[in-house]
Amino acid sequence: MAEPDKQEFPSIMKKQVSRRDVLKAAGIGGVGILLGAAGVGGAFALADVLPDIQKKEKTDAIIPFYGKHQAGITTRPQNHIYFASFDVTAENRKDLIRLFQDWTEAAAAMTEGRPVGDESDNKFLPPHDTGEVLRLSPANLTLTFGVGPTLFTKNGKDRFGLRKKQPAELKELPKFPLDSLEERWTGGDLCVQACADDFQVAFHAVRNLARIARGKAVIRWAQAGFQRTKQAGSKNETPRNLFGFKDGTVNPDVNDPAELNKYLWVQPGDGADWLVDGTFLVVRRIQMFIEVWDRTSLKEQENTIGRYRDSGAYLGQKHEFDPPDFEKKDANGEYYIPITAHVRVARGDGKEKILRRSYSYTDGIDPKTGTFDAGLLFICFQRSISEQFIPIQTRLAQTDHLNEYIVHRGSAVFACFPGAKKGGYIGESLFS
Ligand code: HEM
């Protein structure tokens, strides 16, 4: 997997120019500085160097599209997300398959930083690619595709002859207490999760996939999200959510295949052979009442989550990754981690583990209240929705102290295909 933070400039170093000089030339200091560093009549010209930088950025920032599993699941979260849910308008199976084939070709190109379709210079036709990322780095773009329950059956109708292949797990979630879901953030026949270290790259990808889908699928809802960028925090610390707390500390180990086979990837015998090596995605658009939170004492905030805000350690512990002690009591005989703290309720007896890969969002101001419409685009992946997400969310909806500060506004579930092989297409196993 590409390592986005690693910056190497080997071809330039050979020419004895410092990395600082090159960075200046690439944007900060402008052309003159590099020419100055090379000296008049120096060993190379600016034109020799810039293509090296561009080439290097391109190869460093590519996450392979093809593989056993789709990218964008165990991939270290990039800075930005653009998540889109689609309704299929195609009326037959052939057109649906064609959509996935076209999407595969475009996705493979875009994740390598190539434009979609041929670069035609016919001035009498719209260009194939919309153009806003021409010659930019692919910025670790990943595109992850999934199918929702309504692709299989809708209003009792077997839409594409796929009913028999619908996994038992893939159905609308139960209504949880306190849910306040809105139709405009809910459901969908297909999903595309685009993640990249550059927002324009992520948006470009979904925009072009939507263009390709014309006549076959339309966007039902979409949500952009972000976390701190690597420019602002290069140390690879756990990112913080809009409540100021580190979010994403406890997750399955993405480098442990046994753990991933147990908790993440669908296995043979699970009931949907076409989905083996794929996974289930749950997305919840959760509004966070940040103005209310900001008026709350630090102690109340920490008791709500069950961790210290600054270090991210569990209450009663020192370091972020120290294990919790749920029995530990303070001098007053109170549990350090209150019974209703988010982490205690979410963990339960520790049997269910989900891979959380969420992003913050802000969407302007809620016109009804004048407060921010901001929160968490909560995304998690798991092998079984009924045995992992549902029990956790059932507990949270009942007793999580955090419920005073959040409300779930959107929800959808998708089955994310296994990865595509070169020469094949995403979703092929569903149709074969
Ligand atoms: C806006 C809503 C939410 C916020 C602000 C939030 C915040 C947090 C924070 C700060 C942590 C502690 C750090 C960490 O381990 O990542 C945490 C842990 C966790 N959260 Fe959430 N969370 C939210 C929603 C959810 C939802 C909907 C679920 C699942 C249904 C969930 C499941 C978990 C789990 C499983 C843990 C780890 C518990 C442990 O073993 O310590 N969270 N969350």
Side-chain angles (χ1 to χ4, degrees):
M1 189 193 300
E3 176 53 66
D5 282 341
K6 222 167 138 197
Q7 297 272 353
E8 290 172 344
F9 297 87
S11 53
I12 291 160
M13 298 309 253
K14 255 188 260 152
K15 289 168 181 166
Q16 293 182 322
V17 176
S18 77
R19 185 169 176 274
R20 196 163 154 256
D21 292 327
V22 173
L23 286 174
K24 281 179 182 168
I28 305 165
V31 170
I33 292 171
L34 182 59
L35 287 177
V40 179
F44 64 96
L46 181 64
D48 293 334
V49 175
L50 285 183
D52 279 341
I53 296 170
Q54 283 168 355
K55 261 188 261 155
K56 196 64 198 149
E57 273 180 2
K58 283 215 161 176
T59 44
D60 265 353
I62 292 175
I63 295 177
F65 174 73
Y66 293 106
K68 184 174 178 192
H69 307 292
Q70 288 197 73
I73 299 169
T74 56
T75 308
R76 178 178 149 201
Q78 300 94 321
N79 297 336
H80 302 277
I81 187 170
Y82 196 83
F83 189 95
S85 163
F86 287 78
D87 280 335
V88 171
T89 52
E91 281 173 7
N92 60 61
R93 193 176 162 115
K94 200 172 125 246
D95 286 352
L96 184 60
I97 292 174
R98 185 62 206 258
L99 173 64
F100 282 117
Q101 288 169 335
D102 292 348
W103 271 3
T104 303
E105 201 181 310
M110 291 189 287
T111 51
E112 286 176 9
R114 289 185 282 118
V116 171
D118 309 329
E119 275 180 279
S120 158
D121 55 4
N122 185 336
K123 296 205 188 296
F124 299 97
L125 289 174
H128 284 131
D129 190 288
T130 54
E132 69 271 35
V133 302
L134 279 182
R135 287 182 287 283
L136 294 187
S137 154
N140 295 306
L141 173 68
T142 54
L143 290 162
T144 316
F145 297 88
V147 286
T150 46
L151 184 79
F152 296 83
T153 41
K154 199 168 187 176
N155 304 324
K157 196 174 156 215
D158 181 2
R159 297 173 73 192
F160 300 100
L162 294 172
R163 187 201 293 263
K164 279 203 229 108
K165 293 207 165 176
Q166 178 165 1
E169 288 286 320
L170 190 66
K171 53 181 183 207
E172 212 180 303
L173 293 172
K175 186 178 177 342
F176 298 101
L178 306 178
D179 270 2
S180 196
L181 303 184
E182 297 175 32
E183 183 70 17
R184 65 191 174 123
W185 303 116
T186 303
D189 298 335
L190 308 175
C191 77
V192 178
Q193 175 197 257
C195 296
D197 286 326
D198 181 273
F199 184 67
Q200 186 143 318
V201 169
F203 179 71
H204 166 267
V206 175
R207 174 183 177 192
N208 281 271
L209 294 175
R211 239 164 82 97
I212 291 169
R214 196 163 298 157
K216 301 191 183 83
V218 291
I219 292 196
R220 177 186 174 92
W221 62 271
Q223 180 63 60
F226 60 92
Q227 50 161 299
R228 53 91 179 95
T229 65
K230 277 127 206 159
Q231 281 78 14
S234 59
K235 287 201 205 124
N236 196 20
E237 283 175 6
T238 311
R240 290 176 187 273
N241 61 33
L242 296 181
F243 282 163
F245 280 73
K246 294 188 178 187
D247 197 338
T249 308
V250 172
N251 250 338
D253 179 357
V254 295
N255 297 311
D256 180 347
E259 180 144 286
L260 297 184
N261 286 340
K262 188 163 174 204
Y263 294 109
L264 181 65
W265 306 124
V266 171
Q267 300 294 309
D270 280 2
D273 286 346
W274 63 269
L275 195 58
V276 169
D277 293 327
T279 184
F280 291 98
L281 180 159
V282 175
V283 52
R284 307 278 287 182
R285 187 183 188 275
I286 309 176
Q287 187 176 357
M288 292 159 61
F289 302 127
I290 54 179
E291 289 87 350
V292 179
W293 185 261
D294 296 345
R295 291 194 295 268
T296 303
S297 72
L298 180 58
K299 189 157 177 53
E300 157 75 4
Q301 292 183 358
E302 292 181 335
N303 282 340
T304 302
I305 298 293
R307 284 182 177 265
Y308 297 110
R309 187 175 91 146
D310 190 6
S311 64
Y314 283 107
L315 298 183
Q317 308 301 324
K318 275 212 169 61
H319 307 292
E320 182 185 354
F321 293 98
D322 290 349
D325 180 350
F326 289 116
E327 300 309 316
K328 191 169 175 181
K329 292 186 177 169
D330 63 18
N332 301 321
E334 304 283 349
Y335 285 119
Y336 268 92
I337 304 176
I339 294 292
T340 56
H342 177 70
V343 292
R344 186 194 275 265
V345 181
R347 180 174 289 227
D349 60 11
K351 261 202 283 185
E352 308 99 7
K353 289 191 187 176
I354 51 178
L355 179 67
R356 290 174 296 136
R357 205 172 181 282
S358 309
Y359 285 82
S360 296
Y361 78 83
T362 76
D363 244 354
I365 302 299
D366 184 336
K368 282 181 258 142
T369 56
T371 53
F372 286 111
D373 179 5
L376 194 70
L377 185 65
F378 174 90
I379 293 177
C380 70
F381 296 96
Q382 56 260 288
R383 179 174 165 191
S384 161
I385 297 175
S386 63
E387 290 176 22
Q388 291 166 268
F389 175 82
I390 292 179
I392 299 175
Q393 182 53 28
T394 303
R395 285 195 301 272
L396 289 176
Q398 282 162 355
T399 56
D400 185 7
H401 193 160
L402 197 56
N403 292 330
E404 284 183 26
Y405 303 97
I406 62 171
V407 63
H408 290 234
R409 298 263 187 227
S411 176
V413 292
F414 299 96
C416 294
F417 302 113
K421 289 190 199 74
K422 257 195 185 148
Y425 64 92
I426 200 83
E428 195 167 359
S429 54
L430 178 60
F431 298 102
S432 50

